[in-house]
Amino acid sequence: MRALSGILAAGVLAALAGCGEKPATKTEAGGAAKPAASAPSPLTAAGWPKRKPGLWTQTVEIKDRDFSPSFRFCIDAATDAKLGLDSQGMDTRCAKGQMTRTADGGWTVTSACDMGPAGKAQSTVRVSGDFNSRYLMEIDSVTTGATQAAMNGQHRMTITAEWSGACPADWAAGDVEMPGGRRMNLLTKAVSGGG
């Protein structure tokens, strides 16, 4: 994923939010973002928080769905730069959105994505936390025009990530462990383990 990376990687996998599972996008070409009424200052890509290197455990909750999958992922400074909270901006299907710092110290990102047959999604992502021990992503999106009717409508997802310590010795930065134990590296796409 760069879509999965949003959600698992950052929230790695920067996201499932409707934008093909990408929660947010970068600011416009000049780095400027129009501040929202509740935001004291705009946030440029350089202002995104960096997560503490190591192993993170991320739990995804989707409104009105009776499951909460958990993922573990390993990052270092280099992979966080490539797969960080702003990595979803690499998706060319998404128009570059507005990123703003909120009065409570969090961030809000808006995006618009054209996913072809999967429809068009308008998303708002709120990110908060200290990024050393925990962070939270709340993703609200509305999808229209999807060929599968169930994909259309309003969707809400919450991603909670907690730092779990150092990465296991046999893991590489970029590795994500899915439910069931299968592991994939988001940078190399190599798959191992699980069933």
Side-chain angles (χ1 to χ4, degrees):
M1 144 177 195
R2 278 207 181 139
L4 177 62
S5 88
I7 266 207
L8 293 175
V12 114
L13 312 159
L16 292 168
C19 235
E21 265 125 42
K22 297 204 175 255
T25 62
K26 294 183 181 180
T27 56
E28 300 195 350
K34 182 179 175 184
S38 65
S41 62
L43 177 68
T44 63
W48 273 110
K50 304 302 178 194
R51 291 165 297 170
K52 182 176 182 176
L55 187 68
W56 286 82
T57 300
Q58 180 172 289
T59 302
V60 178
E61 293 182 30
I62 301 173
K63 183 179 179 183
D64 299 327
R65 301 272 175 93
D66 191 22
F67 76 110
S68 298
S70 289
F71 306 85
R72 296 191 308 158
F73 59 96
C74 176
I75 60 166
D76 62 8
T79 47
D80 194 40
K82 291 179 183 176
L83 302 173
L85 294 171
D86 63 334
S87 66
Q88 53 280 1
M90 295 185 287
D91 191 334
T92 58
R93 299 172 295 183
C94 296
K96 295 186 177 184
Q98 175 178 303
M99 300 188 303
T100 53
R101 187 80 186 259
T102 61
D104 65 359
W107 290 263
T108 298
V109 181
T110 60
S111 64
C113 304
D114 186 344
M115 307 306 292
K120 294 182 179 180
Q122 299 282 333
S123 301
T124 300
V125 181
R126 286 169 295 285
V127 185
S128 60
D130 65 15
F131 306 96
N132 285 312
S133 62
R134 187 175 191 276
Y135 63 88
L136 176 71
M137 295 179 75
E138 297 171 290
I139 304 162
D140 288 297
S141 64
V142 176
T143 301
T144 58
T147 54
Q148 293 183 359
M151 296 177 69
N152 292 314
Q154 189 167 7
H155 308 282
R156 180 170 178 79
M157 175 187 308
T158 302
I159 301 169
T160 304
E162 295 186 347
W163 192 77
S164 303
C167 296
D170 62 336
W171 284 46
D175 278 359
V176 174
E177 183 181 70
M178 312 293 186
R182 179 162 288 192
R183 201 161 75 225
M184 177 179 125
N185 189 284
L186 295 173
L187 298 175
T188 67
K189 306 300 184 218
V191 177
S192 62

